[in-house]
């Protein structure tokens, strides 16, 4: 049991989760989100896009067993380690990090619940509203929100079509925003 928790088996999936996480980060950093769709190019805006892409993979892997479930959990753990590291790079001290991590975790899980609910009900308007509320809370209206909602819907469709074996072997693919840009 201890070998399973601390030994080889935990590290066997490390290369796979590193590859998947790198693909999630790359997708979240696509410049079109920030330059054309007006996602704020700020630490919080980047958190929103990374959270969104992490949600998309978690949404796809939900209900899977075995290795897929393990990889999904390791990805979430990696995401929060990355957020913790980013907070420290921003100069947040040891005392402030746990408080902010708690707030960011609550934000992440609240967003994933809203996005999941809208996708499960096939509610494009609800998804658009949730994205606008979370990504651009400062904007009264965000004309690009429907584009991001279309991107999320297409990403869900493409991820659903991807075999689980492909994902657990370290390959995930997101659409290019230009493929869904209206």
């Amino acid at each position: 049991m201890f070998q399973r928790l601390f030994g080889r088996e935990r590290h066997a999936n490390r290369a796979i989760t590193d590859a998947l996480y790198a693909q999630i980060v790359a997708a979240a950093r696509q410049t079109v989100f920030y330059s054309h769709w007006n996602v704020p190019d700020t630490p919080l805006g980047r958190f929103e896009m990374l959270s969104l892409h992490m949600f998309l993979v978690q949404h796809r892997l939900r209900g899977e067993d075995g290795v897929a479930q393990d990889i999904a959990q390791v990805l979430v753990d990696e995401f929060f380690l990355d957020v913790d590291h980013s907070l420290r790079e921003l100069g947040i001290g040891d005392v402030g990090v746990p408080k902010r991590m708690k707030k960011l975790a609550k934000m992440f899980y609240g967003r994933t619940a809203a996005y999941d609910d809208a996708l499960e009900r096939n509610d494009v308007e609800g998804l658009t509203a949730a994205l606008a509320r979370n990504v651009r809370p400062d904007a009264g209206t965000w004309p690009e929100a429907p584009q991001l909602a279309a991107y999320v819907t297409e990403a869900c469709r493409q991820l659903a079509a991807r075999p689980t074996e492909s994902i657990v072997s370290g390959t995930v693919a997101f659409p290019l925003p230009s493929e869904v840009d209206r």
Side-chain angles (χ1 to χ4, degrees):
M1 173 159 165
F2 286 107
Q3 188 168 11
R4 179 180 160 95
L5 290 174
F6 302 108
R8 288 176 280 145
E9 201 167 313
R10 180 79 170 162
H11 297 290
N13 295 330
R14 188 76 206 170
I16 292 168
T17 55
D18 285 349
L20 288 171
Y21 192 71
Q23 292 167 67
I24 292 166
V25 170
R29 289 183 177 169
Q30 294 178 84
T31 58
V32 71
F33 295 134
Y34 308 97
S35 64
H36 291 81
W37 292 2
N38 292 317
V39 171
D41 192 9
T42 62
L44 194 54
R46 290 187 294 272
F47 170 80
E48 292 295 345
M49 294 311 295
L50 185 55
S51 294
L52 179 61
H53 286 84
M54 180 60 64
F55 157 74
L56 289 167
V57 173
Q58 295 296 310
H59 182 77
R60 167 58 183 86
L61 293 176
R62 184 180 58 205
E64 297 287 343
D65 294 337
V67 175
Q69 187 178 41
D70 294 342
I71 287 174
Q73 183 59 55
V74 173
L75 283 171
V76 168
D77 295 345
E78 184 64 28
F79 168 70
F80 283 111
L81 284 172
D82 193 23
V83 170
D84 180 279
H85 179 74
S86 295
L87 288 173
R88 293 174 192 284
E89 279 187 342
L90 289 170
I92 309 297
D94 288 342
V95 175
V97 169
K99 180 176 150 184
R100 287 202 171 86
M101 284 298 296
K102 184 176 181 179
K103 181 179 179 183
L104 290 169
K106 185 176 179 181
M107 288 169 59
F108 173 74
Y109 288 112
R111 281 149 175 72
T112 60
Y115 303 153
D116 189 53
D117 180 58
L119 286 170
E120 292 301 315
R121 292 184 295 112
N122 201 22
D123 180 5
V124 177
E125 286 96 24
L127 178 61
T128 302
L131 289 165
R133 181 176 59 249
N134 294 321
V135 176
R136 291 299 308 262
D138 59 328
T141 60
W142 181 32
E144 296 82 7
Q147 292 169 299
L148 186 56
Y151 171 84
V152 169
T153 302
E154 179 61 17
C156 272
R157 189 192 66 71
Q158 287 185 19
L159 287 167
R162 182 169 285 284
T164 303
E165 296 78 25
S166 174
I167 297 171
V168 300
S169 68
T171 305
V172 67
F174 296 94
L176 295 173
S178 61
E179 294 174 352
V180 295
D181 198 3
R182 294 190 248 162

